[in-house]
Amino acid sequence: MRVDIISIFPEYFAPLDVSLMGKARERGILDIHLHQLRDWTQDVHKTVDDTPYGGGPGMVMKPEIWGAAVDAVIGEGRAVSGEDTLPRLIVPTPSGRPFTQEVALEYAKEPWLLFAPARYEGIDSRVVAEYGARLRADEVSIGDYVLAGGEAAVLVMVEAVGRLLPGVLGNARSVADDSFAPGAMANLLEGPVYTKPPVWRGHEVPEVLLSGHHGRIARWRRDEALRRTLERRPELAARFDPESLDKHDRRVVEEFGERRSAAAPEGAPGAAFREAPEDVAD
């Protein structure tokens, strides 16, 4: 996979030289190219931003600079590949669609990703409009908060996508057990994990994990994933497909609701686990 990143701080991406991403680059699985946005400026001060139309605080990144940079990077990539393919443009922004494991899997199937992390108040909106008409352009958010710039979001997305590429992880089966992974782990958080020694500072590893009984272990892990999701992310639990829950799953859900109801003061809001989506919407 080819990955291009245009930024006024290309040095921000040094972490992509280490750990799994660094090894993936060494093996040629990830081909990452960093570009300094200021290389496409025309003035002596290398200005990339200007005041916003309509007034207001902050500065907005100039469309002509980004247009020149994106065009040049696309031209360079196509010249190297000798193909007519176009990248998928990804612009990190708090106002974008949520970046999820499902989106990471979608991006992992792409041969070429081009990231455009902004600073200040963001990139002039005409840039996304322009490239959205010419190629696939996504505005993506990694969470409901605001960063000083989009570079950290790009690091998150590149790592989430990169680890899904064939040959990056030592055990390819690890991906199937991830939180949010499609299939059995859809809308579920991964449960607790343990390693040696069996007892540490008085804390014991659950007996079932020492039993060697693969069926019981799988059931325990499923139960713990359900309980953790119900406790920490009830909005995910509200998305459970009843058809995907077996009899044992439903019992775990019911027992959790009963315990929460018993633990909460009578009449307190949320005393019982609210399972139905329409309840959560309330």
Side-chain angles (χ1 to χ4, degrees):
M1 171 188 279
R2 178 180 175 117
V3 174
D4 284 276
I5 305 170
I6 305 172
S7 169
I8 61 172
F9 296 116
E11 63 272 21
Y12 202 103
F13 299 96
L16 295 178
D17 287 328
V18 300
S19 190
L20 284 175
M21 297 302 101
K23 292 177 181 177
R25 297 180 73 175
E26 291 174 2
R27 297 171 187 160
I29 300 172
L30 264 179
D31 182 19
I32 298 177
H33 300 260
L34 303 175
H35 310 273
Q36 171 55 261
L37 177 66
R38 296 189 192 275
D39 289 345
W40 284 276
T41 57
Q42 301 296 320
D43 66 311
V44 67
H45 300 293
K46 297 188 177 296
T47 307
V48 297
D49 61 313
D50 208 335
T51 55
Y53 277 123
M59 304 290 276
V60 176
M61 301 191 88
K62 296 162 69 69
E64 66 270 30
I65 309 301
W66 273 104
V70 172
D71 286 347
V73 169
I74 290 176
E76 173 191 316
R78 295 177 77 175
V80 169
S81 68
E83 300 178 2
D84 292 332
T85 57
L86 290 169
R88 188 159 186 172
L89 177 64
I90 302 169
V91 181
T93 169
S95 60
R97 75 164 177 163
F99 181 73
T100 63
Q101 188 71 8
E102 185 177 359
V103 175
L105 286 161
E106 179 184 332
Y107 288 167
K109 297 174 184 177
E110 297 285 344
W112 186 6
L113 299 176
L114 170 54
F115 290 92
R119 285 268 154 174
Y120 318 119
E121 293 299 307
I123 301 172
D124 186 303
S125 294
R126 290 171 293 184
V127 173
V128 173
E130 164 71 12
Y131 289 100
R134 295 166 49 183
L135 47 80
R136 288 172 299 166
D138 300 342
E139 293 183 288
V140 182
S141 169
I142 64 166
D144 296 335
Y145 45 83
V146 179
L147 301 170
E151 285 80 9
V154 172
L155 283 174
V156 167
M157 288 189 274
V158 170
E159 182 155 323
V161 172
R163 67 185 292 278
L164 297 173
L165 300 177
V168 173
L169 293 180
N171 186 345
R173 292 180 57 192
S174 298
V175 172
D177 293 332
D178 286 340
S179 297
F180 317 115
M185 288 300 293
N187 295 318
L188 282 177
L189 304 180
E190 186 176 0
V193 293
Y194 303 88
T195 187
K196 300 177 181 66
V199 180
W200 176 76
R201 295 186 180 180
H203 301 278
E204 298 183 3
V205 172
E207 182 276 332
V208 65
L209 298 180
L210 308 177
S211 69
H213 192 295
H214 298 299
R216 288 179 57 207
I217 291 172
R219 184 66 256 178
W220 180 87
R221 286 178 171 157
R222 171 77 175 177
D223 292 350
E224 291 302 307
L226 285 164
R227 293 186 183 108
R228 178 169 284 188
T229 306
L230 288 163
E231 179 180 358
R232 301 182 181 181
R233 297 290 301 277
E235 80 281 8
L236 289 178
R239 301 179 199 166
F240 289 163
D241 178 5
E243 297 298 323
S244 69
L245 301 178
D246 62 24
K247 182 178 180 180
H248 194 108
D249 290 339
R250 288 192 289 273
R251 185 162 66 249
V252 170
V253 172
E254 290 169 2
E255 289 174 353
F256 178 88
E258 290 169 359
R259 284 199 303 273
R260 169 164 288 190
S261 181
E266 186 176 353
F273 171 66
R274 289 160 49 158
E275 181 179 359
E278 58 269 23
D279 287 342
V280 174
D282 291 344

